[in-house]
Amino acid sequence: MKAIRVHVFGGPEILKLEDVPDLRPEKGQVMVSVRAVGVNPVDAYVRTGTYAVKPTLPYTPGADAAGVVTSVGEGVTSVKPGDRVYVAGSLTGTYAEQTLTNESQVHLLPANVSFEQGAALGVPYATAYRALFQRGGGKKGEEVLIHGASGGVGTAAVQLARAAGMLVTGTAGTDDGMKLVKEQGAHHAANHAINGYLNELMQLTGGRGFDLIIEMLANKNLQNDLGLLAKKGRVVVVGNRGTIEINPRDTMSREADIRGMTLFAASAAELREIHAALGAGLQNGTLHPVIGTKIPLAEAARAHEEIMQHSGALGKMVLTVG
Ligand code: NAP
């Protein structure tokens, strides 16, 4: 089978498509024939070799995919050959024609959800759910700001928050991005690339502020977020690419919280909760991943260049296979 292999850490150009041996599932494992792969910013961070997670070389990148189960190891009962599934975590990497997972890392994909949409679920939707509910404590009727709502995690967060009965505002950096954010169910959209948008956001809450902010670029926005919070408000830091100076006083009168999050810290029970909720949302149609960019597997290097440019997002980037 063909797979993208990384032999040395470095820039996008080190991602090369190679022939590698076929995989075989062992006890408790599932083998999936991959039809689409989710590209996440973390895949690019890991590839540089400077991220907290550093795989042993050589390796195949990727944690997200969707496809068809081709064989299962001894003891696997939740899926069988022929099932359409999405993959949320992999033992062998997902930038490949085949991937091996533990049984807990595959989830049935309803017939109304395409493979490309399935590849958009693992990291983005699980992160959005964890940020909104497990870390953010989001509740029906609360006002939530998705600061960076046009990308993979942001569009997922808008859909999940709206389905949960929250009042949703999302930001994007382009007009097309704002349109997309509203189409996903946001009550309001604002442009984070335009001066004065913070005042506009505050006015949308009638001056009260947001109960919850899901932040995609904290090194740019965290200080401003503190000023946008309501009393007892929470900021959940999902994305961050640098440092920022904040005034802690802005947390005091509001009794505000800044909460970090990483999907890597989710327990097995929390992951079960997340994927049960995602499965229900896919089946009832409230969750419908938006695919922005499709790139063939062989051009994974271009995908990594584009995902790090970080402007003008319109949903999720996927690699197509076959
Ligand atoms: P993505 O699809 O590339 O989307 C990036 C988003 O950031 C877009 O909505 C983009 O909007 C927005 N953005 C750009 N400039 C911004 C600004 N000044 N203020 C607010 N938002 C801005 O990436 P993703 O997959 O959604 O991931 C988003 C971030 O979360 C990344 O940094 C990623 O590494 C991180 N992440 C963290 C975890 C975790 O476990 N903590 C998990 C998944 C992802 P425009 O393009 O419209 O400007």
Side-chain angles (χ1 to χ4, degrees):
M1 67 121 169
K2 293 197 182 302
I4 297 286
R5 299 292 282 166
V6 174
H7 292 273
V8 286
F9 294 114
E13 70 285 350
I14 53 125
L15 299 173
K16 302 273 192 242
L17 192 68
E18 296 178 5
D19 287 310
V20 296
D22 283 343
L23 303 171
R24 279 174 65 102
E26 294 181 2
K27 189 174 176 188
Q29 297 178 352
V30 176
M31 186 166 117
V32 177
S33 170
V34 174
R35 303 296 162 82
V37 181
V39 180
N40 291 296
V42 70
D43 305 339
Y45 311 153
V46 170
R47 189 209 63 233
T48 65
T50 57
Y51 190 65
V53 176
K54 203 168 172 181
T56 306
L57 295 169
Y59 76 98
T60 295
D64 289 353
V68 177
V69 174
T70 48
S71 52
V72 299
E74 189 191 328
V76 171
T77 56
S78 58
V79 292
K80 60 182 185 319
D83 283 346
R84 298 171 82 252
V85 291
Y86 71 91
V87 170
S90 163
L91 299 167
T92 54
T94 55
Y95 287 31
E97 291 175 339
Q98 300 171 357
T99 191
L100 274 184
T101 75
N102 285 322
E103 185 174 8
S104 61
Q105 295 172 316
V106 288
H107 308 277
L108 291 172
L109 194 61
N112 59 324
V113 184
S114 71
F115 289 123
E116 287 162 3
Q117 289 179 304
L121 290 166
V123 169
Y125 275 74
T127 297
Y129 184 94
R130 183 165 178 77
L132 282 165
F133 307 118
Q134 293 180 337
R135 293 292 293 140
K139 301 266 184 312
K140 279 183 185 53
E142 285 194 322
E143 291 238 24
V144 60
L145 171 64
I146 316 295
H147 211 163
S150 51
V153 179
T155 48
V158 170
Q159 292 172 11
L160 283 160
R162 181 66 197 252
M166 302 182 80
L167 299 166
V168 185
T169 299
T171 73
T174 61
D175 288 345
D176 285 347
M178 287 198 297
K179 182 166 171 275
L180 177 77
V181 168
K182 288 194 83 171
E183 285 166 359
Q184 301 322 304
H187 297 85
H188 305 289
N191 189 331
H192 53 234
I194 286 182
N195 283 341
Y197 85 102
L198 296 169
N199 288 338
E200 184 190 335
L201 289 174
M202 200 49 151
Q203 280 166 16
L204 289 171
T205 70
R208 179 183 164 272
F210 293 93
D211 301 295
L212 179 60
I213 300 179
I214 305 299
E215 180 52 60
M216 301 302 162
L217 199 56
N219 54 299
K220 187 142 190 209
N221 297 323
L222 188 56
Q223 176 59 42
N224 291 334
D225 288 342
L226 296 180
L228 289 171
L229 283 178
K231 286 202 172 8
K232 309 281 183 191
R234 299 88 67 195
V235 182
V236 179
V237 177
V238 174
N240 182 61
R241 292 183 176 176
T243 57
I244 183 171
E245 186 174 309
I246 62 163
N247 186 348
R249 178 161 296 281
D250 291 330
T251 64
M252 292 164 69
S253 58
R254 297 175 172 82
E255 294 203 317
D257 288 2
I258 301 170
R259 302 180 184 174
M261 78 132 280
T262 172
L263 191 56
F264 292 117
S267 67
E270 287 171 328
L271 288 172
R272 275 197 299 279
E273 174 191 327
I274 288 170
H275 291 287
L278 298 186
L282 291 169
Q283 276 169 19
N284 69 23
T286 51
L287 303 183
H288 38 86
V290 180
I291 305 307
T293 314
K294 297 183 204 179
I295 294 179
L297 176 66
E299 296 174 42
R302 177 159 69 87
H304 275 208
E305 272 167 29
E306 288 188 18
I307 197 137
M308 292 310 288
Q309 284 172 0
H310 214 259
S311 67
L314 290 172
K316 177 72 196 164
M317 178 187 286
V318 297
L319 300 174
T320 52
V321 181

